[in-house]
């Protein structure tokens, strides 16, 4: 895992990456928000794909 155990998740539809350390403030997700705490109805900011279409990125 990267610093402080934060993980990254990638949208399988468009390749957009959600980084827990950075959150996605523009989409209403605060910095440091863990993937499990992202609301189930959240959509990819790039392609509007569902949260279910994101997978953990192993580095």
């Amino acid at each position: 895992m990267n610093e402080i155990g934060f993980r990254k998740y990638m949208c399988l539809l468009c390749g957009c990456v959600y980084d827990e350390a950075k959150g996605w403030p523009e989409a209403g997700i605060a910095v440091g928000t863990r993937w499990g705490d992202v609301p189930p109805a959240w959509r990819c900011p790039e392609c509007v794909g569902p949260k279910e279409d994101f997978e953990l990125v192993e580095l």
Side-chain angles (χ1 to χ4, degrees):
M1 279 188 277
N2 55 6
E3 71 175 282
I4 314 174
F6 286 114
R7 296 180 178 194
K8 294 180 181 182
Y9 294 81
M10 184 177 70
C11 178
L12 298 175
L13 300 175
C14 73
C16 177
V17 175
Y18 173 79
D19 184 337
E20 291 178 332
K22 296 179 181 177
W24 208 291
E26 302 84 10
I29 308 298
V31 171
T33 300
R34 300 291 182 176
W35 186 244
D37 295 328
V38 172
W42 183 78
R43 310 289 285 190
C44 175
E46 300 293 323
C47 74
V48 196
K51 181 180 175 184
E52 296 83 34
D53 284 337
F54 280 75
E55 282 192 359
L56 177 63
V57 175
E58 297 287 347
L59 300 175

